[in-house]
Amino acid sequence: MTSTTKCRRTVLSIAVVAALTGVAACGSSDSGKEGGGDDPFAALRLADKSTDDADSVKIESTGDMGDLMSIKADGEVDWADGLHGTLTITYTGGQAADQMNQLGITSTEARYLPDAYYANMGDLFAGQYGGKQWIRYGYDDVEDMIGGASGAYVKEHLQSVTPNQSVQLLLASGDVEKVGEEEVRGEQTTHYAGTVNVADIQEQNANLGEEMRAELEEQLKASGITTADIDLWINDDNLLVKKVERGDTANGELNSTVYYSDYGVEVSVEEPPASQTVDYKDLMNDLPTS
């Protein structure tokens, strides 16, 4: 495989990883809405439902994954009727920034729609592909290209990103403590923290159903995550306003900080014009294989 081909394959993959890291680091897609239980689990169940029911939110995030990438992202997402959203993802370090710089890219616009994720790759890329500056990543195609449990994880995670995923993950851990009352960007919140050990999820029976625990365990294994430390800050309206995640993955240590605001914001996303879009599957098929 030539260095140019390797670079192009890497750039195509980076855009997918950035899409995952920019919105949410890890979590499950189904909302666990069981009631009852003692604090702090009762508080987290209430936050899970309230956050899920809010339907949309503005996001500001930073994240890094080993030496693969460091990024920051801001935008808004709506999950009321399938995932819709827009993010500006800026590559601030790691292999991702180096590879993107070869295409003259420091940031990309990302658009999330129910059937596909779109990444704007800039003018230099468009010059190489007949004026097409957008790559379309169909979720089914991404799953097929990656293959196995990892492909299924990427597909599901791209389709179903919501802030309450981290709440569910902390519920699944069975290891949660109330740290205390803290102020986050001028807002009074309650801080909760815990550690998720993937190997122990199936042993936790009190907080999530057996089916959800099994699904969550498979998703985390597919992502390469073995352990994760999670801190959540929840406001008086039972809405998540900040999360910090630190985890060990197959690609190195993952760190993610996300701020959530303006729940219920109106989100408008347009599908990029077909004349300016090239499909990820077609790009991969056109590249020579080793």
Side-chain angles (χ1 to χ4, degrees), residues 55-70:
D55 290 343
S56 65
V57 74
K58 288 186 177 181
I59 292 174
E60 295 178 53
S61 72
T62 57
D64 59 76
M65 183 181 293
D67 62 359
L68 176 62
M69 70 167 55
S70 296

Side-chain angles (χ1 to χ4, degrees), residues 245-272:
E245 295 182 5
R246 299 166 300 278
D248 295 322
T249 80
N251 291 308
E253 186 178 59
L254 172 69
N255 294 280
S256 172
T257 299
V258 185
Y259 292 92
Y260 302 98
S261 63
D262 296 312
Y263 279 94
V265 64
E266 184 175 344
V267 178
S268 178
V269 186
E270 293 186 3
E271 181 178 342

Side-chain angles (χ1 to χ4, degrees), residues 44-287:
L44 289 180
R45 291 192 187 95
L46 187 56
D48 177 24
K49 184 178 188 307
S50 298
T51 300
D52 187 48
D53 288 347
D55 290 343
S56 65
V57 74
K58 288 186 177 181
I59 292 174
E60 295 178 53
S61 72
T62 57
D64 59 76
M65 183 181 293
D67 62 359
L68 176 62
M69 70 167 55
S70 296
I71 66 170
K72 63 179 181 179
D74 62 89
E76 53 198 27
V77 294
D78 184 309
W79 54 92
D81 185 21
L83 182 64
H84 296 79
T86 60
L87 284 181
T88 298
I89 299 174
T90 302
Y91 302 90
T92 57
Q95 298 173 34
D98 294 339
Q99 296 286 356
M100 288 301 191
N101 283 340
Q102 294 186 41
L103 280 177
I105 296 172
T106 57
S107 65
T108 58
E109 179 186 349
R111 296 184 186 179
Y112 301 81
L113 290 166
D115 64 337
Y117 158 71
Y118 294 82
N120 189 322
M121 304 299 288
D123 293 337
L124 183 57
F125 179 90
Q128 298 176 356
Y129 291 96
K132 299 178 184 290
Q133 61 183 357
W134 291 91
I135 301 178
R136 178 187 183 274
Y137 293 86
Y139 300 132
D140 289 335
D141 295 334
V142 170
E143 179 182 12
D144 292 340
M145 286 291 181
I146 297 174
S150 294
Y153 168 81
V154 171
K155 174 189 174 182
E156 181 161 348
H157 206 62
L158 282 170
Q159 284 181 300
S160 55
V161 172
T162 58
N164 63 316
Q165 291 177 344
S166 293
V167 180
Q168 295 168 18
L169 191 58
L170 199 52
L171 279 169
S173 72
D175 174 25
V176 182
E177 65 173 345
K178 179 180 177 181
V179 178
E181 306 296 323
E182 298 177 15
E183 187 174 292
V184 176
R185 294 186 168 182
E187 190 169 7
Q188 292 301 313
T189 70
T190 303
H191 179 186
Y192 299 94
T195 298
V196 178
N197 188 323
V198 175
D200 294 338
I201 283 180
Q202 286 294 340
E203 298 178 7
Q204 310 301 333
N205 299 313
N207 306 299
L208 293 174
E210 181 178 350
E211 182 177 351
M212 188 180 297
R213 288 198 313 275
E215 178 182 345
L216 180 59
E217 182 180 23
E218 288 304 310
Q219 290 175 351
L220 291 171
K221 287 180 178 178
S223 72
I225 294 172
T226 55
T227 62
D229 295 319
I230 301 176
D231 289 77
L232 306 177
W233 288 261
I234 297 169
N235 68 12
D236 292 340
D237 294 323
N238 303 305
L239 296 171
L240 180 64
V241 297
K242 179 184 177 182
K243 74 164 184 177
V244 173
E245 295 182 5
R246 299 166 300 278
D248 295 322
T249 80
N251 291 308
E253 186 178 59
L254 172 69
N255 294 280
S256 172
T257 299
V258 185
Y259 292 92
Y260 302 98
S261 63
D262 296 312
Y263 279 94
V265 64
E266 184 175 344
V267 178
S268 178
V269 186
E270 293 186 3
E271 181 178 342
S275 62
Q276 299 176 18
T277 303
V278 60
D279 198 276
Y280 164 74
K281 180 173 62 175
D282 295 335
L283 286 174
M284 293 296 287
N285 288 338
D286 288 343
L287 290 176

